[in-house]
Amino acid sequence: MKAVSYEGTRKMSVSDHPKPKLKSPTDALLRVTTSGICGSDLHMYDGRTPLEKGTVVGHEIMGVIEQVGDAVSSIKKGDRVVLPFNIACGFCYNCHRGNTHSCLTMNPEGTSAAYGYAGMGPYAGGQAEFVLVPYADFNCLKLPGKPGDEWEDDFLLLADVFPTGYHATELACVSPGKTVAIFGAGPVGLLAAYSSLLKGASEVYVVDNVAERLEKAKELGAIPVNFSDGDPVEQIFKLRKQNKGIQASHRPGEEKLEGMDCAIDAVGYQARDDKHPTKEKATQVLENVIRVVNPAGAVCLIGVYIAPDPGGENADAKKGIFSFPLADFFDKALTIGTGQAPVKKYNEYLRDLIVNGRAKPSTIVSHHIAVDDAPAAYDKFDKRIEGYTKVLIRFGERAKAA
Ligand SMILES: NC(=O)c1ccc[n+]([C@@H]2O[C@H](COP(=O)([O-])OP(=O)(O)OC[C@H]3O[C@@H](n4cnc5c(N)ncnc54)[C@H](O)[C@@H]3O)[C@@H](O)[C@H]2O)c1
Ligand SMILES: [Zn+2]
Ligand SMILES: [Zn+2]
């Protein structure tokens, strides 16, 4: 079968790999119809998260069940399903409590497992014609419709970035009427903005400096802020001050609340320096979220901070150790949430929003490609050029039309 594999820094290749076979009676074999390229894949692509050469990548996967093991009871050959990027067992302490992002049994080297990802267990990825699904009853979300229908892209986004964006709003305590600042207008940031608006946030700002991505944020109903135009936190403070309705309803002391109730870091450790955007500054967005949020507010780091990082700027950074203004954090009495999204907690509800016409996350999809074009798409997505924002690989029949 054809699959995309990692062959070294900024080198992906498309080649023949053996079609996976069922290993356990609880497995299923999935014929992939669409697979996404994720910002998380770029950490490995850039050589910043070490990955063994030859590994088949891809953790955003949907398709049609080809075969099920004898112990699989709730899905069958021909069912259309999407997989959470977290692989979970369903029976451990954490899975029982809905924390499938910290499954205790699927990764022999620690907690958390995923398809085709460094340090997340021995599972091949799904940027491939077929993928093996462990504990298929637990890990498959059943979908209505047929491959290639008008929901194909929306459903694919249920594998990761839609639930992840939504989870970010949960960790940042977004609820109706609240104000939200999101740093990063990649797929995760855009869908965190979309989820905030779905929840009824009153003001949503999205910071980036990629024009097409900021344009998309505006299209979704958020207020774009370009960090190349000056300190993004000051820009948000200024924009808030221009809101006459808010200013006119202040009670004593409220003038101190220049910022946001909620802030989301959808960038992570490869953040660029606001003042020198060609350089990285790992703590840039971490510092900005702490500054932008009001006292007693909440912050979510959904962008990844990961170690080891061979490209870290000093010995501490290589180990994922950073200094940040903890005193400001404490003084402001902030709440913080971090980590991978437990996709399974949300994917079913978000699917039903899609099916009932209440959500259309696929507005953020910029490109559809055939698998042979994956290496070129990685290059453009990594450089954030030509509007490459969310790239989906189509397999089989659909590929010809991609
Ligand atoms: N926690 C999870 O479960 C989870 C899941 C998926 C992805 N992620 C992570 O989320 C992050 C974003 O991924 P993505 O798929 O959206 O794609 P992405 O990496 O393309 O998006 C990052 C965006 O941040 C922007 N950016 C860089 N420096 C910035 C700064 N200083 N201020 C504001 N914006 C800045 C970039 O221009 C880019 O548009 C990555 O770190 C990814 O690994 C986490
Ligand atoms: Zn992803
Ligand atoms: Zn588990």
Side-chain angles (χ1 to χ4, degrees), residues 87-96 99-100 102-106 138:
I87 306 175
C89 68
F91 53 74
C92 75
Y93 181 95
N94 281 338
C95 282
H96 265 250
N99 298 317
T100 52
S102 300
C103 175
L104 300 170
T105 71
M106 296 307 292
F138 193 66

Side-chain angles (χ1 to χ4, degrees), residues 218-229:
K218 195 172 169 193
E219 195 186 313
L220 294 175
I223 303 159
V225 174
N226 190 328
F227 68 77
S228 294
D229 295 341

Side-chain angles (χ1 to χ4, degrees), residues 315-366:
D316 274 349
K318 287 185 203 312
K319 288 187 275 185
I321 297 168
F322 303 107
S323 66
F324 75 99
L326 180 59
D328 291 347
F329 194 86
F330 183 90
D331 188 46
K332 279 187 156 181
L334 303 183
T335 298
I336 187 169
T338 66
Q340 265 185 35
V343 169
K344 200 176 159 70
K345 208 178 249 181
Y346 313 103
N347 62 0
E348 200 160 334
Y349 296 117
L350 296 177
R351 175 200 62 193
D352 295 349
L353 280 181
I354 292 167
V355 170
N356 289 307
R358 305 259 297 130
K360 193 75 191 155
S362 62
T363 352
I364 68 151
V365 173
S366 60

Side-chain angles (χ1 to χ4, degrees), residues 119-247:
M120 302 268 187
Y123 307 98
Q127 288 170 15
E129 289 176 291
F130 293 90
V131 70
L132 193 69
V133 187
Y135 293 113
D137 278 314
F138 193 66
N139 287 304
C140 291
L141 176 70
K142 223 180 139 180
L143 301 169
K146 289 203 163 47
D149 64 12
E150 78 276 19
W151 287 323
E152 181 88 6
D153 292 358
D154 298 302
F155 287 158
L156 183 277
L157 299 177
L158 291 172
D160 182 352
V161 287
F162 191 20
T164 296
Y166 191 87
H167 181 60
T169 69
E170 289 289 283
L171 294 184
C173 306
V174 178
S175 58
K178 285 195 181 171
T179 51
V180 190
I182 295 160
F183 292 79
V188 173
L190 288 172
L191 289 177
Y194 188 61
S195 299
S196 300
L197 291 161
L198 272 176
K199 282 180 159 186
S202 59
E203 282 172 62
V204 179
Y205 296 86
V206 175
V207 181
D208 206 306
N209 78 339
V210 179
E212 297 92 344
R213 295 181 176 201
L214 288 172
E215 197 50 46
K216 192 54 82 175
K218 195 172 169 193
E219 195 186 313
L220 294 175
I223 303 159
V225 174
N226 190 328
F227 68 77
S228 294
D229 295 341
D231 180 349
V233 175
E234 288 298 334
Q235 288 191 61
I236 291 171
F237 291 167
K238 207 168 147 196
L239 285 162
R240 284 227 83 201
K241 282 207 182 81
Q242 288 165 6
N243 185 328
K244 295 206 168 61
I246 295 291
Q247 297 300 317

Side-chain angles (χ1 to χ4, degrees), residues 241-309:
K241 282 207 182 81
Q242 288 165 6
N243 185 328
K244 295 206 168 61
I246 295 291
Q247 297 300 317
S249 53
H250 275 351
R251 286 163 298 187
E254 276 187 49
E255 70 285 351
K256 290 175 190 159
L257 302 180
E258 300 183 286
M260 302 280 105
D261 299 307
C262 317
I264 295 171
D265 168 356
V267 184
Y269 75 126
Q270 285 191 261
R272 281 172 291 129
D273 188 326
D274 287 348
K275 293 200 187 77
H276 310 280
T278 53
K279 291 194 189 140
E280 276 186 18
K281 183 180 173 191
T283 56
Q284 179 66 74
V285 174
L286 181 55
E287 289 165 18
N288 287 351
V289 288
I290 295 171
R291 281 174 59 217
V292 83
V293 82
N294 285 332
V299 158
C300 165
L301 311 183
I302 201 74
V304 159
Y305 291 83
I306 199 167
D309 172 14

